[in-house]
Amino acid sequence: MLAFNQNGQPYEPLAGYPGHEQIPPDRRTIFTGSELSEADMPPIDWLVPGLIGSGLIMLAAGPKIGKSWLALQLAVAAATGSTVLGDTRMEQRPVLYIALDDKGPRRIQRRLHMMGADRLALDNLTFITEIPGAGTASELIAEYLDQPQNARSFVILDTLGSALPAYAHRPQESSYAYDYRILGGFHDIMDSHSGASLLIVHHTRKMGAVDTVDTINGTQGISAAFDTVMVLNRPRQSRTGTLFVTSRDVSEGSYEMTFDAQTGLWRLEGGNLETAAKAAREHENCGHLGESMNRLISVVNNAANPITASDVAGELGWDVTRTRTYLSRAVNAGQISKVGRGLYSGSGVGDPETCGVRDAGMLAG
């Protein structure tokens, strides 16, 4: 039983018991507020700098959206220490890709060739398409990470749904309890292997939800266990998608991405997080506007100089009264600016050419 001193503090605070120097500050379980505020915590251990920390990570998306392509792209970048999604470089490390949805090497080989990865040295990347014996994915991952040479590895499980049949339900166990027990087991493995990362690929459900995390298939017991949750959305036949990220390590955010169907490669808009986040915000703003408003904003944004209501009306074929009403609404919404008496100028936010019409062309093939 834990004992406390006369000040109500535990006898074994962060700096108050033998051997505490050997325990990293972020791994200690007893400490005072003062000790915690003064402790020199190690920096975040990144998988993808600024975007994905180490630990247990989910990547969820609908079928045929490109989630396995993204997972493979991350695997290749980690195995080779190369850049990914643009100009972000990953640390080189051993990678284990558990590809349970691939019944053999043919499709994996084809994807590597399409991505151009066959020209790289991939000795650090190992694929497994079937769990050996009657074991489970978690047993395989734990055994792999227990080997000293794999301590800081990047492991990918693709997909969660293909791994779950190996885990039996307990009597009278609810779906939530089952999900949380299984995913909690994966989380325990990663907690005991600091610096390693496990990315689990999963599916989203068809029905819509206000909260993006609620689109993940299954109970909330699944998403609750993860350190980082990523949800990838891309409309059918569109090159452009959005990656939503929520994490214990970084601020929640959305990033615009483009998918190249010829190579299977994803790229952040502009090649970096800042530009991709700005693009996602702009498209989010446009999503709340109607077609007529988007057309008006486009006219104002594309004008070389401040433009009058009469000029806008002429461009759109509207009457001036209607045009002035829409201009006033656009100014109030912050989509355009009123820069003088009867003069309007664009701000770039909400321009259909940058976000209202996300794809000028369709994917080939």
Side-chain angles (χ1 to χ4, degrees), residues 56-61 67-68 97-101 131 136-138 141 156-167 175 178-187 198-204 216-226:
L56 186 60
I57 307 151
M58 172 183 283
L59 172 61
K67 57 186 179 298
S68 291
Y97 198 122
I98 307 173
L100 299 183
D101 281 3
I131 304 296
T136 64
S138 51
I141 293 167
I156 298 170
L157 175 58
D158 187 1
T159 62
L160 176 62
S162 296
L164 286 180
Y167 299 88
S175 297
Y178 172 80
D179 288 344
Y180 194 80
R181 173 170 62 87
I182 303 306
L183 272 301
F186 284 113
H187 194 274
L198 170 58
L199 178 100
I200 297 181
V201 181
H202 191 41
H203 294 96
T204 53
I216 296 170
N217 194 34
T219 71
Q220 291 184 339
I222 292 181
S223 57
F226 285 85

Side-chain angles (χ1 to χ4, degrees), residues 59-79:
L59 172 61
K64 312 303 182 185
I65 293 299
K67 57 186 179 298
S68 291
W69 283 104
L70 178 56
L72 183 58
Q73 187 177 352
L74 292 170
V76 170

Side-chain angles (χ1 to χ4, degrees), residues 68-99:
S68 291
W69 283 104
L70 178 56
L72 183 58
Q73 187 177 352
L74 292 170
V76 170
T80 58
S82 56
T83 57
V84 69
L85 304 178
D87 58 9
T88 302
R89 182 169 297 277
M90 294 183 68
E91 174 190 348
Q92 187 174 19
R93 61 182 75 200
V95 180
L96 174 64
Y97 198 122
I98 307 173

Side-chain angles (χ1 to χ4, degrees), residues 45-283:
D45 201 340
W46 295 105
L47 176 65
V48 179
L51 184 67
I52 311 171
S54 61
L56 186 60
I57 307 151
M58 172 183 283
L59 172 61
K64 312 303 182 185
I65 293 299
K67 57 186 179 298
S68 291
W69 283 104
L70 178 56
L72 183 58
Q73 187 177 352
L74 292 170
V76 170
T80 58
S82 56
T83 57
V84 69
L85 304 178
D87 58 9
T88 302
R89 182 169 297 277
M90 294 183 68
E91 174 190 348
Q92 187 174 19
R93 61 182 75 200
V95 180
L96 174 64
Y97 198 122
I98 307 173
L100 299 183
D101 281 3
D102 294 297
K103 307 303 180 185
R106 186 179 300 276
R107 183 164 65 171
I108 299 173
Q109 182 195 58
R110 180 177 64 84
R111 291 187 171 189
L112 288 172
H113 286 175
M114 287 179 63
M115 295 170 64
D118 57 313
R119 299 189 295 270
L120 304 174
L122 298 177
D123 294 339
N124 275 345
L125 175 55
T126 301
F127 293 94
I128 292 179
T129 59
E130 186 175 314
I131 304 296
T136 64
S138 51
E139 291 170 342
L140 172 63
I141 293 167
E143 181 180 352
Y144 173 81
L145 292 177
D146 282 342
Q147 300 175 28
Q149 69 272 22
N150 299 329
R152 287 182 51 79
S153 289
F154 176 31
V155 181
I156 298 170
L157 175 58
D158 187 1
T159 62
L160 176 62
S162 296
L164 286 180
Y167 299 88
H169 281 264
R170 293 172 178 172
Q172 299 182 335
E173 184 177 40
S174 69
S175 297
Y176 177 91
Y178 172 80
D179 288 344
Y180 194 80
R181 173 170 62 87
I182 303 306
L183 272 301
F186 284 113
H187 194 274
D188 290 343
I189 293 171
M190 302 316 297
D191 265 356
S192 62
H193 295 86
S194 179
S197 298
L198 170 58
L199 178 100
I200 297 181
V201 181
H202 191 41
H203 294 96
T204 53
R205 51 192 173 89
K206 290 184 178 179
M207 64 184 69
V210 175
D211 190 328
T212 304
V213 175
D214 288 339
T215 65
I216 296 170
N217 194 34
T219 71
Q220 291 184 339
I222 292 181
S223 57
F226 285 85
D227 299 305
T228 300
V229 172
M230 301 187 294
V231 179
L232 181 64
N233 288 304
R234 178 172 65 84
R236 298 293 177 193
Q237 298 299 313
S238 172
R239 296 181 60 251
T240 307
T242 302
L243 182 68
F244 169 82
V245 182
T246 183
S247 170
R248 296 188 174 108
D249 294 319
V250 298
S251 299
E252 184 176 287
S254 294
Y255 304 90
E256 182 161 306
M257 307 260 284
T258 55
F259 181 71
D260 186 337
Q262 303 303 315
T263 63
L265 294 175
W266 284 94
R267 179 179 174 83
L268 288 165
E269 178 67 29
N272 60 75
L273 293 172
E274 182 179 0
T275 303
K278 180 181 178 182
R281 287 193 301 270
E282 290 178 346
H283 285 164

Side-chain angles (χ1 to χ4, degrees), residues 321-365:
T321 301
R322 179 192 182 194
T323 302
R324 288 193 176 116
T325 299
Y326 273 77
L327 285 168
S328 178
R329 291 175 182 172
V331 170
N332 292 336
Q335 303 295 323
I336 62 174
S337 301
K338 190 171 184 179
V339 296
R341 185 178 178 86
L343 291 175
Y344 300 87
S345 180
S347 61
V349 177
D351 184 355
E353 292 195 356
T354 59
C355 60
V357 180
R358 300 181 67 157
D359 289 282
M362 298 297 183
L363 288 172

